[in-house]
Amino acid sequence: KLQKVKGAVSNAYDLTIVQGNQTISDFKTPVTLTFKINEEMVENPENVKIYYFNEDNEMWELVGGTYQENGFVTTATNHFSIFAVFESAEEFIAGEKPEAIKEGAGEKLPNTATFSYNFLLIGVFLIVIGTILFLRRTRKAK
């Protein structure tokens, strides 16, 4: 669940499946998505549709959807991404990024371990081994 997106009548969700080290985002068989909407924000239920955020062009793109009387919208999709429900395209098509993907949030963090840290560990290890060997040798000499 992401932070609220301007103009959305539902929460925004970043849907991802990770299996081991592999991210699965495309499907051969469509998957059904159902979102709860805030019915108080809706003027015309016929205009309520599910969109996904296309990160390449930074725009919300229509997936589709059918409004149900109980305050839910359902559609089928063949991929996972960031999804939200909007009532009409004119309000958001310019593309307000969801907060979770602004300024690189949600991206994989870089590997920040440095050689200095590794050398420090090796140095401590060598000092401990050296001390053990020195103590064993001095005990044998007595």
Side-chain angles (χ1 to χ4, degrees):
K1 182 176 173 183
L2 304 176
Q3 293 180 0
K4 186 77 172 146
V5 175
K6 182 180 178 184
V9 295
S10 75
N11 290 316
Y13 295 92
D14 185 356
L15 303 179
T16 306
I17 295 177
V18 178
Q19 183 177 13
N21 293 331
Q22 181 182 11
T23 300
I24 301 169
S25 58
D26 295 316
F27 309 104
K28 291 179 183 175
T29 304
V31 192
T32 301
L33 301 177
T34 302
F35 293 92
K36 175 75 174 149
I37 63 167
N38 182 343
E39 292 181 279
E40 295 174 3
M41 296 177 66
V42 175
E43 292 179 25
N44 183 355
E46 296 297 318
N47 292 336
V48 175
K49 302 291 180 199
I50 297 172
Y51 290 76
Y52 83 96
F53 190 76
N54 183 331
E55 294 185 55
D56 293 334
N57 63 16
E58 296 188 353
M59 297 183 77
W60 289 96
E61 295 189 9
L62 178 66
V63 177
T66 305
Y67 175 78
Q68 300 169 0
E69 294 296 321
N70 59 0
F72 290 90
V73 178
T74 301
T75 194
T77 183
N78 61 354
H79 76 283
F80 275 175
S81 181
I82 297 173
F83 294 90
V85 180
F86 295 90
E87 185 170 355
S88 74
E90 291 77 32
E91 295 176 24
F92 59 86
I93 201 68
E96 177 183 313
K97 288 184 182 181
E99 285 296 319
I101 60 175
K102 286 184 181 177
E103 300 173 11
E107 293 179 5
K108 187 175 180 178
L109 295 175
N111 182 0
T112 57
T114 63
F115 284 110
S116 299
Y117 178 75
N118 293 335
F119 285 127
L120 178 66
L121 285 177
I122 291 170
V124 169
F125 178 74
L126 290 175
I127 290 171
V128 169
I129 296 296
T131 303
I132 291 171
L133 291 174
F134 176 77
L135 291 174
R136 289 179 103 191
R137 188 171 189 186
T138 56
R139 285 187 183 170
K140 285 183 181 181
K142 289 183 180 182

